[in-house]
Amino acid sequence: MTTSPALDVPALRHLIAGGQAPRLIDVRTPAEFETAHIPGSRNVPLDLLREHRDELREHLDGPVVLVCRSGQRAGQAERILAGAGLPDLRVLAGGITGWRAEHGPVTTGRPRWELERQVRLVAGGIVLAAVLASTVAEPVKWVAAFIGAGLAVAALTDTCAMGMMLARLPYNRGPRTDLARVVTALGADRR
């Protein structure tokens, strides 16, 4: 399965300005989406997309541009949807970070920490606590080793189990995360 070349920010802005805006699907958590997103984009969190790709495929006709923070999760979403038979997919190069760096318009809401920042906090906190605790109970050092191994695997596989778990926390969820609401929002775009 081959992936389409990424779409850069100037090309997307040109399509939008020319009235040829593709469907914009933001695969970040609802909390990240609420903090800042491209106007007109719809939030379909990666875990929901992964779990309901066949149901969502029916509602994602025409060209689709996938957006996340930097392009990593959008790339995963592209592979998932391409595997479900959706043809016209692109990933926004640089994600919302690149969009904002190029001064693209954003809709903002309540600020929240991005998922990657949450992973760094939790992983760093666990490692620090394990190292400190190992001065009293030496075997606790293996907790730090386990977290380090998990981070190495995350880098090698371009996935993050800790990030997927954190994405499910209430802090990262929102009212738009159930399938029925997402499908309703996608259907409204067709009208």
Side-chain angles (χ1 to χ4, degrees), residues 105-191:
V106 292
T107 301
T108 59
R110 184 174 134 209
R112 299 200 190 168
W113 281 19
E114 293 175 339
L115 196 57
E116 288 82 358
R117 186 176 181 191
Q118 294 175 49
V119 168
R120 291 191 305 266
L121 173 69
V122 171
I126 292 171
V127 168
L128 177 61
V131 169
L132 292 175
S134 73
T135 62
V136 176
E138 194 263 336
V140 178
K141 71 180 179 190
W142 295 108
V143 173
F146 176 76
I147 296 297
L151 292 172
V153 168
L156 293 171
T157 62
D158 198 23
T159 61
C160 183
M162 185 180 292
M164 288 186 273
M165 289 188 295
L166 290 172
R168 295 180 184 275
L169 291 176
Y171 173 84
N172 290 313
R173 305 305 272 167
R176 295 179 294 274
T177 57
D178 66 67
L179 180 63
R181 289 181 194 218
V182 168
V183 167
T184 299
L186 293 174
D189 289 345
R190 287 185 174 167
R191 296 184 191 125

Side-chain angles (χ1 to χ4, degrees), residues 1-3 53-54 57 76-87 89:
M1 166 181 14
T2 60
T3 58
R53 73 181 194 164
D54 294 325
R57 179 187 62 218
Q76 292 175 30
E78 180 188 27
R79 290 186 292 278
I80 290 165
L81 292 173
L86 203 60
L89 301 167

Side-chain angles (χ1 to χ4, degrees), residues 7 17-20 31-32 37 46 48 52 56 58 87 95 117 119 123 139 150 156 160-161 164 174-175 184:
L7 184 67
Q20 300 173 318
E32 291 173 297
H37 60 271
L46 183 59
L48 183 86
H52 299 285
L56 292 168
E58 299 170 18
R117 186 176 181 191
V119 168
L156 293 171
C160 183
M164 288 186 273
T184 299

Side-chain angles (χ1 to χ4, degrees), residues 35-108:
T35 296
H37 60 271
I38 299 171
S41 62
R42 295 293 181 183
N43 185 220
V44 182
L46 183 59
D47 61 333
L48 183 86
L49 186 142
R50 184 180 288 118
E51 188 175 329
H52 299 285
R53 73 181 194 164
D54 294 325
E55 296 100 319
L56 292 168
R57 179 187 62 218
E58 299 170 18
H59 302 281
L60 295 174
D61 55 345
V64 173
V65 174
L66 299 160
V67 180
C68 67
R69 179 181 171 274
S70 64
Q72 297 299 322
R73 285 178 276 174
Q76 292 175 30
E78 180 188 27
R79 290 186 292 278
I80 290 165
L81 292 173
L86 203 60
D88 200 0
L89 301 167
R90 304 284 293 273
V91 171
L92 178 61
I96 191 77
T97 302
W99 180 262
R100 292 180 94 168
E102 297 270 341
H103 308 290
V106 292
T107 301
T108 59

